Structure formats: C-alpha cells, structure tokens
Amino acid sequence: MSTHEVVTREITFAEAIREALAEEMRRDSRVCILGEDVAEAGTPFKVLSGLVEEFGTGRVIDTPISEAGFTGLGVGAAMTGIRPVVDIMFGDFITLTMDQMVNQAAKIHYMSGGRWKVPMVMRTTLGAARRSAAQHSQSLHAWFSHVPGLKVVLPSTPYDAKGLLKEAIRHENPVVFFEDKMMYKMKGPVPAEDYTIPLGVADVKRAGEDITFVATSSMVQVALGAADLLAEIGISAEVVDPRTTWPLDEQTIVESVKKTSRAVVLDEGYERYGVTAELAALIAERAFYDLDGPVRRMGAMHVPIPFSPPLEDATIPTPQKLFELAREMCGRS
Amino acid sequence: MAISVVMPALELTQETGKLLAWRKKEGEEVTKGEPLLEVETDKAAVEIEAPADGILAGVKAGEGDVIPVGQTIAWIVKPGEEPPKEAAPAGSSRGTTTEAARPAENMATASPAAGAGAAAARISPKARRLAKEHGVDIARLQGSGPGGEILASDVLAAAEGKAPAAAPAAAPKAAAGTLEPLTSIGRLMAERMTQSWTSVPHFFVTREVDAGPLNAAREKRLAVAEQSGGARPTHTDLLVALVARTLRKHPRLNATWTAEGVRLNPDVNIGIAIAVNDGVIAAVIPNADKATIAEIARQRRELADRAKSGHSRPADITGATFTISNLGMYGVDAFTAIITPPQAAILAVSSIVDRVVPVDGAPGIRPIMSMTLSCDHRVFDGARAALFLSDLAEAIARPEETLG
C-alpha cells in the first residue's frame, strides 16, 4: 500500500477528512454536506471548518435536529443524482437513521433491478474515552456491517481517512464512514496529490512473524502499541487493518494468520455478536489448520460505557492488556 | 445409581496416574472403604479405597495403564444394574474417590503413555495437521502450550528428531551412554524442584548449635522406648517436635505465598524428607506441634516403612507446611535445600560433629550441629528467619522446657 511511500507532509486526521471533502466538492459539483451544525453553527469536532465559507450554505447545509429526517433527505437526494455526505455527529445517533439506511438506502439498488442508485456517504463517529457517557461513546459500526447493501469504512490513519473518504464519495451506492473521535488530532503523512484507496483492501500496518493482530479503527493504534511492547521481549507481532468491514479483504487476514498461526481480533465495538466475532469466525473457517491456539478477541466491555473516567477506561482494550494476552498466547508468560 | 471410580488427583501438579493393580475383580462385591485399586501417582504408590458398596463393573483400565486424572476407570453398581455406557464427565464423580479431581478441561493433556494418552492429548489444529504431514506420532509428544497443549513447534521439533520422546519405552537408542528412564517420582522431583528454584526467591540463613542437650534428651527417651517397646526416637524426631513448637511462635514461616497475600497455615504439619529408591519423598507428621516424641517416632517409622515399600497412602505425603531434611547420617557438614512449594521454608540439618569451641572462655569439645534454613523471601525476610533460628537454637539448648 502506498502508506509506505515517502511522504514528507504531515496533517491531522481531521484535516485529512476536510481535505477529502473539499477536494471532492471542487471536483464534483453534485457533492454536498448536510447535517447538524455542519455550516454556520460551528461544525462538529471542528472537522468541517472553512467548508461553508468556500462552498456556501447551498452545498453545506445545516439541518434541524432530526437524524431520521435529514438522512431520508440524503437518500432521496442521492436517488435523484446528488451525492450527499450526511453528517451524523455521534455514532450513537445512527439508531434514529436505521429505517432510512437499512430499509431504504441499502435496498433501492437491488429492488429497482439496478435502475436506481444511492450514491450517498454517511459520516459518523465511534469510540469511547471522551467522558461523554453512555449515549455518546458507543461504537455501533457492526450494526451497518450486518446489512447487505451497505459498505462500512473504518479508517485508522490520516492517510487512510483521506483516500477512503474520496473513494466513498465517488462510490455509486451507500457507504457508512466511521471516524474515531479520539483520532481527529492524530498526525500522519498524507500526500498532497489526489489519491483514493479502494474499499475492501486491508493494509498490513506492521509486519511480524509470531502473532497477528487484526485491528480496526481506534484499535489499530492499540495493536501497534502492543506490538512495540512485544518487540522488547522478542515477540514479533503483525498488525492487519481491514480498513473496511464490508467489503472485507478476507485474503490478507487469512494469509497473515496462516503465517503466524496465532490471532487476536480487536475492535472497539462490543464483542458479542460483533465485528470481532465475525473476524474470528472467518479465521476459524479459513485458517483452522494453521492455528496453533484459539483465536482471541478484545473489544468494548459488554456494558453501557460509564461516564466515570476510570470506569470508562476499564471498558476499552489497551496496549498493555493486549501485550499480556499476546505474551500468554506465545508462551512467554 | 452407579458410582464412578475415577483416577484420583492426589497432588496439585499431578496429571496422570498409573494403575498398578486392581484389588478386586470385575463383578466382585466391594465394601466402601476397603482397598479397591493401587495407583502410582507422581509421588508414590497409594491404595485407593472403594467409594461405595456394590459390585465392581465396567472396568475400563487395565494394570499398567497411565490414565489422566479425573477419568472414569470403572463403576460400582447395585446388583443387577448395568454400568453407564459413556464415561460421565469428571464433575459427576464428586463425592466418590476423587474430591480433588479436576474438571475435564484441565485434565492431563499429553500423557506420556502411548495409546492411553493419545486420545486425551489436546493438540492445536496446526500441530495435528503437521503431525499428519510429517508422520509424527502425537502420542509420544509432550505439549508445550500454556495448558500443556501440543503445539506446531512440538511437532516440528519431533519431526526434526530434536524432541526426546516423553515415553521412556519409546527411546530405545540413546546416542551415547545409557539413558535412565525417569520414574514418576524422578520426573515429579525434577519438575517441582525446577519450578521452585526458578520461581521462589530463596535465601539462606545458617546457625550452628551445641547438640549436647539434644543428645541427652534423645538418650533419655531411647531408654524409655526400649523399656516400653515403642519406636526408637531419632534426632530427626526430636527436631520435628522442637521445630513444630517453635513454628507456633513464628506463623510467618508456616505460611504459603499466594498472589493475593501470604496465607498463614492454621496447622503445623512437618514434612520429613525420606530417601526412597528412585528419589525423595516428604512424609508428613500432622499437627507435630501437639504430638509427643513417642507419637512422632511411631508415625515417622510407619511412614518410612510404607514409603520404602512403595505403599504410601495419600495422606502420608500431603499437607506439609514446613519440611526438615536431615543428611546428618551421611556425615554432611552443611547443605542448603530447595523449598517445596507451597511451603515457605525448609530446614537442612547436618551431622553432629565434635568440635573445639570456646566453653566458658576456654577451648572445649562440644557436639556441634549446623542447620541451614532456606527461606521464600516473598513470605518473610532475613530478620524473621534469624529470630526463628534463634528461638529454635534456644529450644535445642533446653529441649525439656519446650517438650514439657
């Protein structure tokens, strides 16, 4: 992947998102943004600052606080040829958009025999640790990953965020784009030139020999942190970032586990019936005879995310917890 | 209802037991409490009593078989009753012979016995595939996984001929010299001593004492024993009594390290290291702080007799809270011993030798005995060890006051 090219320019994750939006809006006049507070009211997490000034309130549109309403607006607009980017400030609020996304956006292309398309993107957030309590801290991307007709993107670096968002905006059917709230200030190399990253192509964020960490979004940094700790005791961990839960690059994940024989799957969503369960099942099905031990999982604890900072932190996987698990799995405990 | 007879776990570290002999035949009537079978555990040969009245039926294990702990090997049924077809899970055997039986998932994984252990051995999918591809017999492998599972590396090592086969019988050609196969006692001794030495932070404190009063106390009781025909008390017996009584004042030395904290053991049970043919076992004198010298001597003699004939009972070798190892009879000047977990200390006792020492300001000849205490530094420190040895030296100097 081109993440490994020499890129000297570094920008934040938020700037990468903003650049992707601005570049696609310049490139294609059908691209517009709608959501709560996206224009004059100030922009969520300051990601969109400057866009309304450049593109005006006709293309960066503040909506009422009605996620179901303006998501439906986005679906209908997309069906008529507009390419809306719908902004759902907190991923927790996707619950309000479910009928529009699951029964409408995901189904139109199929039920119209391919005559209608829904080229919309829903941008929203995931991740805990912002002390935002149970209704503003969830990672619910598994919900959309469950539904045929929706594609789900989970960028973990500024580079991936920009390339994947541009690809999502150019995509002909609905894509849900989850950004980790804690990652907006993270800096990383991003080329100034136009580039896109295809959906369904995983990225090996770190190569290793002894154990594979399959990690998404916020958990990629956790996996890389644990890999650093493990390197100090002579265990070489490989970090595979699927980048999209659907379409899913099964091949890269399976090949990595076949090489290392051990796997931990990490995702900040809930473990039960979630992304980690799906990925663990994939590994069990396709790499069973190369496994040297059970596939293990780490995700959010199965509780409403607490407001109390020490309790909230305890619900999320950390590099230290992953290090301990991996050390045990590699027989070095 | 049929009651299962399972391979008992007599030690925490025990994974398998070898069935030495059935004392009853299939179909024979048994009475609860009478000897039913004889088992060689990792430590010794023990007799196992029948868990219930009934008829011995459904015998699944033959003499010489090595069986994972917790596995059902037979049933005791009512007259006319058929034994169950499938072996019940180990959990259902509670209240029968194996109060200590562990759940099936913790059971022995890589039994060294060809055949018997192969089915029970846990093996990773990759290792199983590699074993097939390389033609490696997994029954011969000892797993290195976190729970003893056979892993890919074990199979590959065996395929390259690096892994020594676990089963002694499967090692016919040693490259040079004669390979002495490990007995179960030998293997356990190696495992536990390695575990102790590599995980328990040992330190050692030595003290020499004048053994004159100890000799005198022994002579006095020897005479009594000869008159009454009781067991002849040894120096070790006296030391057991004196150490046990001193330990009452030093509960921290009669303790066990756990992750949660130091557990003080309520009873003082003294293990005595006894040399047997193929290793050493520690026979236990329970509540030695309350036992008289005569009682200790009698118990010690019975324990030693059973140990040397390979007929130790489970209670003979379990539950020690402190061990004494006496090599005095071999003319040893001093030595250090390795702690037997979960105990926190062991006392190494040397021979009693006449030495020139200052006596009331002038050179005098006294019988001197050296004692070295091995200590688990997680449980107590050097000062506590020194205070204990000081009190023990005091007790040895005035044995009658302590023994009462």
Side-chain angles (χ1 to χ4, degrees):
Chain A
M1 288 304 101
S2 39
T3 25
H4 310 310
E5 289 169 8
V6 179
V7 178
T8 48
R9 192 182 74 128
E10 288 216 337
I11 61 174
T12 66
F13 195 96
E15 287 163 347
I17 297 285
R18 188 186 312 143
E19 278 192 4
L21 288 165
E23 286 174 22
E24 291 306 300
M25 289 176 83
R26 285 177 209 130
R27 182 180 172 271
D28 185 341
S29 63
R30 296 171 299 172
V31 178
C32 64
I33 296 171
L34 54 155
E36 294 158 9
D37 299 351
V38 296
E40 290 139 317
T43 95
F45 306 111
K46 297 197 169 43
V47 174
L48 307 177
S49 56
L51 293 182
V52 70
E53 288 80 357
E54 179 177 352
F55 299 101
T57 51
R59 291 181 69 194
V60 184
I61 304 160
D62 273 331
T63 66
I65 303 180
S66 173
E67 285 81 3
F70 67 79
T71 301
L73 203 65
V75 176
M79 288 169 68
T80 66
I82 307 293
R83 305 183 83 87
V85 178
V86 174
D87 189 308
I88 303 290
M89 199 184 295
F90 284 88
D92 311 73
F93 309 157
I94 65 164
T95 52
L96 294 156
T97 72
M98 277 295 157
D99 185 65
Q100 297 300 343
M101 294 303 289
V102 174
N103 285 324
Q104 309 304 329
K107 304 293 193 288
I108 302 291
H109 187 68
Y110 172 78
M111 293 182 76
S112 69
R115 285 194 289 173
W116 292 93
K117 291 170 182 168
V118 185
M120 71 175 282
V121 173
M122 174 182 279
R123 276 186 57 239
T124 187
T125 56
L126 59 71
R130 279 186 82 253
R131 319 314 183 203
S132 305
Q135 297 157 322
H136 296 77
S137 303
Q138 298 167 90
S139 302
L140 299 178
H141 45 291
W143 291 33
F144 286 139
S145 306
H146 185 64
V147 176
L150 298 177
K151 298 178 179 79
V152 180
V153 182
L154 299 159
S156 67
T157 65
Y159 176 90
D160 289 354
K162 185 174 177 186
L164 288 165
L165 183 53
K166 286 166 71 96
E167 176 72 18
I169 292 169
R170 296 179 194 182
H171 206 73
E172 293 300 331
N173 266 304
V175 175
V176 188
F177 196 90
F178 281 90
E179 299 159 18
D180 173 22
K181 298 184 281 281
M182 300 301 286
M183 226 181 252
Y184 282 130
K185 290 187 177 140
M186 185 178 97
K187 279 197 157 189
V190 177
E193 306 79 55
D194 181 45
Y195 71 95
T196 60
I197 298 170
L199 307 184
V201 178
D203 185 32
V204 177
K205 290 282 192 276
R206 177 184 177 125
E209 300 296 327
D210 300 326
I211 187 165
T212 295
F213 298 150
V214 183
T216 63
S217 184
S218 51
M219 292 297 107
V220 171
Q221 292 305 321
V222 170
L224 290 170
D228 282 341
L229 296 173
L230 289 163
E232 290 172 19
I233 59 167
I235 295 174
S236 158
E238 178 149 307
V239 178
V240 178
D241 175 5
R243 299 203 283 205
T244 50
T245 49
W246 193 260
L248 180 62
D249 182 354
E250 299 186 354
Q251 199 58 32
T252 302
I253 296 168
V254 168
E255 276 171 11
S256 173
V257 176
K258 283 187 171 176
K259 179 176 74 172
T260 63
S261 307
R262 299 182 183 93
V264 182
V265 183
L266 299 104
D267 177 88
E268 205 181 326
Y270 295 120
E271 281 181 23
R272 290 190 197 166
Y273 310 99
V275 170
T276 57
E278 181 66 28
L279 297 177
L282 164 75
I283 294 167
E285 282 170 2
R286 294 198 44 194
F288 184 77
Y289 295 106
D290 291 280
L291 282 173
D292 218 4
V295 180
R296 301 292 295 269
R297 300 190 283 152
M298 289 184 101
M301 199 181 286
H302 204 76
V303 293
I305 308 297
F307 170 70
S308 152
L311 292 182
E312 180 179 33
D313 291 344
T315 64
I316 316 164
T318 63
Q320 191 60 37
K321 288 182 203 166
L322 177 58
F323 166 76
E324 299 294 346
L325 174 64
R327 188 169 65 161
E328 176 201 318
M329 290 170 70
C330 293
R332 309 279 180 83
S333 51
Chain B
M1 205 189 83
I3 291 176
S4 65
V5 177
V6 303
M7 178 56 66
L10 303 163
E11 277 291 308
L12 279 177
T13 52
Q14 187 187 332
E15 294 185 339
T16 59
K18 184 177 179 182
L19 178 61
L20 289 180
W22 284 104
R23 293 294 174 81
K24 297 282 175 183
K25 293 192 189 70
E26 175 128 21
E28 198 173 336
E29 201 169 311
V30 301
T31 307
K32 181 174 178 174
E34 68 178 334
L36 180 62
L37 64 153
E38 199 175 335
V39 168
E40 185 184 55
T41 71
D42 291 334
K43 269 195 164 177
V46 272
E47 279 179 351
I48 304 297
E49 297 170 352
D53 296 338
I55 312 271
L56 182 64
V59 172
K60 291 190 195 53
E63 294 179 358
D65 285 356
V66 176
I67 297 141
V69 159
Q71 186 166 305
T72 299
I73 53 177
W75 296 87
I76 291 174
V77 297
K78 296 274 168 275
E81 188 186 10
E82 286 289 315
K85 286 273 178 285
E86 289 298 314
S92 73
S93 62
R94 269 194 301 177
T96 66
T97 47
T98 59
E99 282 166 9
R102 288 174 289 171
E105 65 178 85
N106 290 337
M107 264 164 43
T109 51
S111 162
R122 285 209 301 187
I123 177 166
S124 83
K126 183 178 189 179
R128 191 179 290 282
R129 174 174 63 78
L130 290 172
K132 209 171 173 185
E133 287 171 7
H134 289 85
V136 171
D137 178 9
I138 57 173
R140 291 174 49 227
L141 297 180
Q142 193 86 46
S144 67
E149 301 88 356
I150 297 171
L151 301 182
S153 55
D154 301 323
V155 174
L156 291 173
E160 287 168 24
K162 284 194 293 195
K173 48 173 198 278
T178 321
L179 185 64
E180 263 198 28
L182 287 173
T183 60
S184 52
I185 288 179
R187 184 162 50 82
L188 189 85
M189 187 170 73
E191 279 171 11
R192 299 199 65 180
M193 290 303 105
T194 304
Q195 184 219 336
S196 172
W197 188 246
T198 53
S199 67
V200 176
H202 284 67
F203 72 96
F204 309 94
V205 182
T206 302
R207 178 149 183 160
E208 289 185 351
V209 293
D210 180 343
L214 192 68
N215 288 339
R218 179 175 174 243
E219 292 300 330
K220 186 175 135 193
R221 283 163 181 77
L222 213 47
V224 174
E226 266 162 20
Q227 276 177 6
S228 67
R232 291 165 57 87
T234 62
H235 285 94
T236 303
D237 297 334
L238 270 83
L239 283 170
V240 166
L242 293 169
V243 164
R245 284 158 173 77
T246 308
L247 279 172
R248 275 201 307 236
K249 284 186 278 178
H250 297 270
R252 197 82 175 187
L253 276 80
N254 193 57
T256 293
W257 168 258
T258 73
E260 289 75 40
V262 173
R263 197 179 64 236
L264 306 180
N265 295 309
D267 297 328
V268 179
N269 305 329
I270 303 292
I272 305 170
I274 295 176
V276 293
N277 271 343
D278 38 12
V280 60
I281 73 163
V284 183
I285 309 279
N287 299 308
D289 55 330
K290 300 183 185 95
T292 65
I293 299 292
E295 284 164 354
I296 291 170
R298 179 182 52 76
Q299 284 188 65
R300 192 252 319 137
R301 193 175 66 178
E302 289 170 7
L303 289 167
D305 287 349
R306 284 201 293 270
K308 282 172 181 163
S309 65
H311 288 84
S312 289
R313 297 172 187 160
D316 289 358
I317 52 174
T318 51
T321 59
F322 184 103
T323 297
I324 295 175
S325 179
N326 187 350
L327 292 182
M329 56 293 252
Y330 299 106
V332 164
D333 289 331
F335 72 107
T336 58
I338 298 177
I339 294 167
T340 310
Q343 298 163 43
I346 182 168
L347 187 71
V349 180
S350 72
S351 52
I352 298 168
V353 184
D354 283 345
R355 293 241 172 83
V356 179
V357 292
V359 178
D360 297 330
I365 294 176
R366 302 296 305 157
I368 300 296
M369 179 175 79
S370 170
M371 304 181 295
T372 299
L373 186 69
S374 305
C375 317
D376 182 344
H377 212 317
R378 299 170 303 180
V379 180
F380 59 92
D381 55 26
R384 279 184 205 259
L387 285 173
F388 168 78
L389 276 184
S390 172
D391 282 351
L392 180 60
E394 185 61 28
I396 290 169
R398 293 176 185 73
E400 300 303 346
E401 282 177 26
T402 305
L403 297 172

